[in-house]
Amino acid sequence: YNRAILRGNRMSTNGMLSLFRPYLAFLLFSLLFGGGAWASDKRVALVIGNNDYRSVTRLEKAGNDARSVGNELRRLGFEVISVSNGSQKRMNQAINEFSQKASGGGIGVFFFAGHGMQINNQNFLLPVDFELPNDANDVADQSISLQGIQDKLAEARVPFSLLVIDACRDNPLPKKAGRSLAVGRGLAPPSAPNGQIVLFSAGANQQALDKLTDDDSNPNGLFTREFVPMIASPG
């Protein structure tokens, strides 16, 4: 595949399982347990979990999601670069380190849990030091471009990359009188180069859910709590 989008929705856990498993079981078996050249090549992962946003809605479980995914990838032999509550500078540093370490062979896994937005069909991941913008250009200047990450991995000649974006799909910016941004609710379908697969935890214009009900005490969001057991289960 050169492109794949995994779409979730507001649905019961059983419904999510039936949607996720056919895609992820095949993908993860091939990616993480498969034979061929990848089996002996280096495996590098970058996991980012952003909870403590300063100017937009704080999140509760993004950090837990990143830790859970990172722990499972380590068990599978990945070198994991972890970032918790990353600023724009720290995220860019980690992305550069990640692309360099994965360069020229092997596989790379990028996992982001936090806020995401789209502007003019471009996807942006928000660092915790993101400030309320005056216009759409401010968002791009203060954020991390998903396409930029993909371009760096392509330039580094990483043979195969999996990018998992567990991001809130609604617009996290508070509504203020006199301020309007031309942003969409969901993230835009990515244009993935050959050798890259992008998975979203929710479909376009849908919200990624942290919990099913107010009494849901699971430390992980809905996508990650289904994703992590699949990583750990061969086949």
Side-chain angles (χ1 to χ4, degrees):
Y1 301 161
N2 73 336
R3 276 181 276 185
I5 300 172
L6 179 66
R7 293 185 172 90
N9 200 345
R10 292 176 178 268
M11 58 178 69
S12 67
T13 300
N14 288 337
M16 291 179 68
L17 278 168
S18 64
L19 177 63
F20 291 160
R21 280 181 174 150
Y23 295 97
L24 287 181
F26 171 77
L27 172 65
L28 291 172
F29 179 79
S30 301
L31 175 63
L32 305 178
F33 298 97
W38 292 344
S40 60
D41 285 338
K42 56 187 174 183
R43 301 176 177 187
V44 184
L46 170 58
V47 295
I48 300 175
N50 287 349
N51 277 334
D52 297 339
Y53 286 93
R54 302 172 189 173
S55 300
V56 296
T57 306
R58 292 168 61 95
L59 300 176
E60 298 179 4
K61 301 184 178 183
N64 290 339
D65 291 344
R67 281 187 291 272
S68 296
V69 170
N71 288 339
E72 291 301 325
L73 291 174
R74 286 188 186 94
R75 290 178 55 189
L76 294 171
F78 278 79
E79 177 185 354
V80 177
I81 304 164
S82 298
V83 175
S84 177
N85 294 317
S87 65
Q88 184 184 37
K89 180 179 179 179
R90 178 68 186 104
M91 287 177 65
N92 276 321
Q93 290 173 337
I95 291 164
N96 289 334
E97 180 185 0
F98 169 56
S99 61
Q100 290 168 5
K101 288 188 173 183
S103 174
I107 58 174
V109 173
F110 174 80
F111 178 88
F112 173 81
H115 279 305
M117 296 176 61
Q118 71 155 306
I119 300 174
N120 298 326
N121 292 320
Q122 292 292 314
N123 298 313
F124 296 95
L125 311 181
L126 304 192
V128 295
D129 57 350
F130 178 85
E131 298 291 340
L132 293 179
N134 291 315
D135 57 41
N137 291 327
D138 286 347
V139 175
D141 290 341
Q142 296 186 69
S143 304
I144 305 296
S145 165
L146 178 59
Q147 187 63 53
I149 299 173
Q150 294 179 256
D151 291 343
K152 286 186 177 181
L153 293 171
E155 291 169 4
R157 298 185 179 179
V158 181
F160 187 85
S161 302
L162 171 65
L163 297 91
V164 183
I165 311 303
D166 189 2
C168 297
R169 295 294 176 265
D170 56 344
N171 183 353
L173 300 179
K175 294 180 180 179
K176 296 183 66 175
R179 175 174 293 175
S180 176
L181 289 176
V183 298
R185 285 197 60 206
L187 295 187
S191 176
N194 288 336
Q196 293 185 8
I197 290 179
V198 181
L199 304 180
F200 286 152
S201 63
N205 301 320
Q206 295 172 348
Q207 184 181 34
L209 299 181
D210 269 350
K211 53 190 177 182
L212 289 170
T213 67
D214 290 339
D215 298 328
D216 184 352
S217 60
N218 192 298
N220 292 123
L222 266 67
F223 175 83
T224 299
R225 71 180 72 170
E226 304 297 342
F227 182 62
V228 168
M230 293 178 189
I231 299 176
S233 300

